[in-house]
Amino acid sequence: MSAKSILLQSGRTYHIWTHANGDDNFFRCEDNYHYFLKKYRHHVHPVVDTFAYCLMPNHFHFMVRVKSEDEILDFVRKKKKKPNLQGFQNLEGLSKAISQQFSNLFNAYTKAYNKKYDRKGSLFMSNFRRKLIESDEYFVRLFVYIHNNPIHHGFTDDLNDWPFSSWHAYISKKRTGIRKEEVLKWFGDIDSLKAIHRKCGYLKRGVLLEEG
């Protein structure tokens, strides 16, 4: 089943990921990462709850849950003075509206990136990939996988040393837009969360999930 055919439905949780085109990188400096997250908060945060993310030079991963239909409709109404809500009469219409927010993110970031680096053309692979998370086991495996991905790809030897992931939101006491309290309740406490990352993480480089 193609990624595009997987509908994004309210209340369901998904793994969202994509890669840069060819040999390009999304992020060349620290400011790039921060700008992308700023645009993510603006375009995508209103329609999803975020459990985990990790940004790497040429690809990224997010674990998100689509917000309720009422929340999404309210966002669309506020966003547009005269919104056309006919498309929300079915699941496909709602999924397209959510996908559009991701497209808005990618387009806005690409426009700024191309301007900054005197570049032309697309930056992101078309049709970002998504996979429905249907079990508690997969939820836990994916959560750990996302945070340990920089180790898997050789960007660092310690997930604490990679600054561009939601891991730091969980080990910090600062306020965050991540669904921190919900996840900590799921795992029990911060010590249990750390323990499972040590147990299931990439102590040696290997494959935890098939997505890459």
Side-chain angles (χ1 to χ4, degrees):
M1 181 180 293
S2 68
K4 197 172 183 179
S5 65
I6 298 176
L7 297 180
L8 298 173
Q9 301 179 47
S10 293
R12 308 300 292 272
T13 303
Y14 299 86
H15 180 195
I16 303 289
W17 75 101
T18 194
H19 289 253
N21 273 329
D23 296 327
D24 284 330
N25 282 334
F26 295 135
F27 313 111
R28 300 188 188 184
C29 67
E30 185 172 339
D31 286 346
N32 293 160
Y33 290 94
H34 294 308
Y35 184 78
F36 181 87
L37 289 174
K38 177 182 177 181
K39 289 299 179 182
Y40 178 88
R41 288 190 293 269
H42 177 74
H43 291 290
V44 180
H45 184 70
V47 295
V48 303
D49 295 319
T50 305
F51 292 110
Y53 73 84
C54 187
L55 310 181
M56 285 154 289
N58 65 351
H59 70 291
F60 60 73
H61 296 272
F62 282 87
M63 180 198 285
V64 303
R65 179 179 60 211
V66 178
K67 291 189 176 182
S68 71
E69 186 173 336
D70 287 342
E71 289 176 294
I72 296 171
L73 287 172
D74 186 54
F75 167 72
V76 172
R77 291 190 184 99
K78 291 178 179 178
K79 182 181 178 183
K80 299 181 179 180
K81 293 182 179 180
K82 295 182 180 180
N84 181 2
L85 302 180
Q86 289 184 336
F88 288 91
Q89 294 175 352
N90 55 60
L91 293 175
E92 186 175 356
L94 185 66
S95 182
K96 286 182 177 178
I98 299 162
S99 294
Q100 184 60 51
Q101 292 306 117
F102 279 96
S103 294
N104 292 344
L105 163 65
F106 301 153
N107 291 336
Y109 182 80
T110 299
K111 183 177 180 180
Y113 184 94
N114 285 352
K115 182 178 180 180
K116 180 178 178 66
Y117 295 110
D118 193 24
R119 181 186 177 279
K120 295 182 179 180
S122 61
L123 179 62
F124 298 83
M125 293 182 65
S126 60
N127 299 329
F128 67 89
R129 303 183 71 182
R130 81 266 324 240
K131 184 174 182 178
L132 178 64
I133 301 170
E134 299 185 276
S135 69
D136 292 351
E137 178 188 6
Y138 188 69
F139 183 99
V140 173
R141 289 172 60 213
L142 177 61
F143 188 81
V144 174
Y145 167 81
I146 288 176
H147 288 147
N148 280 286
N149 211 240
I151 299 175
H152 171 58
H153 288 285
F155 294 121
T156 183
D157 293 323
D158 187 334
L159 61 85
N160 292 294
D161 294 334
W162 189 254
F164 312 114
S165 82
S166 54
W167 174 248
H168 300 280
Y170 286 99
I171 62 176
S172 170
K173 293 183 179 181
K174 295 181 180 179
R175 295 185 62 182
T176 174
I178 299 294
R179 301 293 293 183
K180 180 177 178 178
E181 297 304 320
E182 186 174 344
V183 170
L184 288 178
K185 187 178 295 184
W186 177 287
F187 284 97
D189 54 32
I190 187 61
D191 290 333
S192 298
L193 188 70
K194 290 179 178 179
I196 198 166
H197 277 75
R198 288 194 298 270
K199 179 181 179 180
C200 300
Y202 293 101
L203 299 179
K204 294 182 179 180
R205 291 187 196 176
V207 178
L208 182 63
L209 294 175
E210 64 183 18
E211 282 84 350

